[in-house]
Amino acid sequence: MSLFKPVFLLCLTLTAPITQAAPKIEHWLAPSGSRVFFVENHSLPILDVQIDFAAGSALDPHGKSGLAAATQTLLDLGVEGMDEAQLANRLADLGALLGGSTDMDRASVSLRTLSAPDQRDPALDILRAVLTRPQFPADVIEREKARAIVGIKESLTRPATIASNAFWTALYPAHPYGRQPTPESIGVLTRADLETFYRQNYSAQRSTVTIVGDVSRMQAETIAQTLTADLPGSSGTPSVEAPTTQPATEQKIPHTSAQAHLLIGLPAIKRGDPDFFPLLVGNYSLGGGGFVSRLMKEVRDKRGLAYSVHSYFLPMAQPGPFQIGLQTKKSQANEALKVVHEVLARFLAEGPSKEELHAAKQNLTGSFPLRLDSNQKILENVAVIGFFGLPLDYLDHYAENVEKVTVEQVKAAFARHVRPEHLVTIVVGGEQGNE
């Protein structure tokens, strides 16, 4: 696993099951204190397990951005009794896959294995070792730091990365969500930093275990407790404050790229917000529905200003962003930006038409049964439900909640969450011919 993994795991859509009936989610609190969510599924001889910790990059200390990602990455690069090569070989022998990721709110470790006991049990033993006995080898830390620094330096030559970093920094100027790893912040990380972050944040009380697949409830209870019983003993839930509202700003960053990269947005929505479904349905019409969205029609189809343009909401533990993004010729950056603002202003004033609303509902409910056709997709959905405390019957009522959305609800939700006086605009590479 690389030191820095994609942050955006899920945007304003949760996937859903292949059949019309949502999977039955069972929930309990393990003796260790971990919250457990379980879906029993014997259709395939596969077991998927994911452990999410409230240990995302929002908890990185000042000056040490990248610590959360580094800690998660190093977990499986050496455990008590096995170095990284031995771990990899043992997993390959078992046909098991170990994975993980870090975003701003959570750090995740996952395992996929065959469910036959002679393969499942050794694979779970490895996962338990990774979670409870990481060694953080000094030489591996230095290697991964060097690799990460090279990757960051290379990425900072790309206009898309420059735009994204500037966008998040402008949205969250005094908030942990706005911090970005740099070569300097990675360079100062020490083995002691990783060990401390692990001990403070990888506790059972801060974890959510999601189990999906070919085991019984009794087996799932044993698995969850075995995996979490020996985690570090820290308790309590880390607190990340809500971001403060910022006035609208526009930032132009010079770049030699052939095209300008434009991002417009603001902090907008938390997980579990009651406006989730009106925003989801409305955004499909605005910029989330591909070629049928207003932004695509106005920016690309009518004016040819961009090959693609999108909008989305990214709900997080604290209000995550609403974003509109596109690329265009440098000479057209101002015109494209003007059209985007006009389309957004009209949508805020009028909401979707009845035809647009109907089309959005048809797509969202029609595609709903096709978005969870594997254990892995069920796992991803249930993990989000568990970690963010969404209702256990969330998937059962997904289509119903989409269908109930009205034009007035969309307008009211957008008015509450997308206020033009707080929009941040980032333009990278649009300086020539745009003054």
Side-chain angles (χ1 to χ4, degrees), residues 53-101:
F53 296 92
S57 62
L59 299 183
D60 284 343
H62 283 284
K64 295 185 178 181
S65 294
L67 177 58
T71 303
Q72 193 283 328
T73 295
L74 269 292
L75 288 177
D76 69 344
L77 296 183
V79 302
E80 186 179 302
M82 283 189 287
D83 62 22
E84 59 180 314
Q86 291 169 319
L87 272 169
N89 290 336
R90 183 61 176 141
L91 287 166
D93 291 342
L94 294 168
L97 297 174
L98 192 65
S101 62

Side-chain angles (χ1 to χ4, degrees), residues 254-287:
H255 198 275
T256 58
S257 62
Q259 290 202 318
H261 292 244
L262 282 62
L263 295 176
I264 304 100
L266 75 170
I269 183 173
K270 293 174 61 173
R271 287 280 180 190
D273 191 293
D275 283 333
F276 174 92
F277 285 99
L279 293 175
L280 171 68
V281 175
N283 184 66
Y284 184 90
S285 300
L286 174 63

Side-chain angles (χ1 to χ4, degrees), residues 348-413:
L348 291 172
E350 301 175 358
S353 68
K354 291 182 179 179
E355 293 76 17
E356 287 174 325
L357 187 72
H358 178 68
K361 291 179 179 181
Q362 275 195 320
N363 181 275
L364 292 169
T365 59
S367 61
F368 174 79
L370 305 175
R371 291 179 175 174
L372 198 54
D373 55 3
S374 68
N375 270 18
Q376 181 63 38
K377 293 181 182 179
I378 297 173
L379 185 81
E380 292 170 357
N381 280 274
V382 177
V384 169
I385 288 170
F387 185 83
F388 291 101
L390 301 178
L392 292 185
D393 62 355
Y394 177 88
L395 295 173
D396 297 278
H397 298 290
Y398 182 96
E400 173 189 342
N401 286 327
V402 168
E403 287 289 357
K404 290 193 301 186
V405 172
T406 66
V407 170
E408 289 307 314
Q409 287 175 335
V410 171
K411 288 174 61 178

Side-chain angles (χ1 to χ4, degrees), residues 143-220:
R143 183 195 70 201
E144 292 300 309
K145 284 171 56 178
R147 182 180 296 174
I149 289 170
V150 170
I152 291 171
K153 288 181 176 179
E154 191 279 328
S155 71
L156 290 176
T157 67
R158 299 195 296 263
T161 300
I162 295 170
S164 178
N165 287 355
F167 181 73
W168 282 85
T169 300
L171 257 62
Y172 303 99
H175 191 272
Y177 285 174
R179 298 175 193 159
Q180 309 292 332
T182 65
E184 293 75 22
S185 70
I186 297 300
V188 299
L189 297 182
T190 66
R191 186 170 187 268
D193 291 328
L194 273 67
E195 291 177 329
T196 299
F197 190 89
Y198 167 76
R199 288 194 303 269
Q200 291 178 343
N201 298 292
Y202 281 74
S203 68
Q205 291 76 18
R206 294 187 181 187
S207 71
T208 301
V209 179
T210 306
I211 302 171
V212 176
D214 185 26
V215 292
S216 67
R217 163 69 183 258
M218 184 177 298
Q219 290 170 319

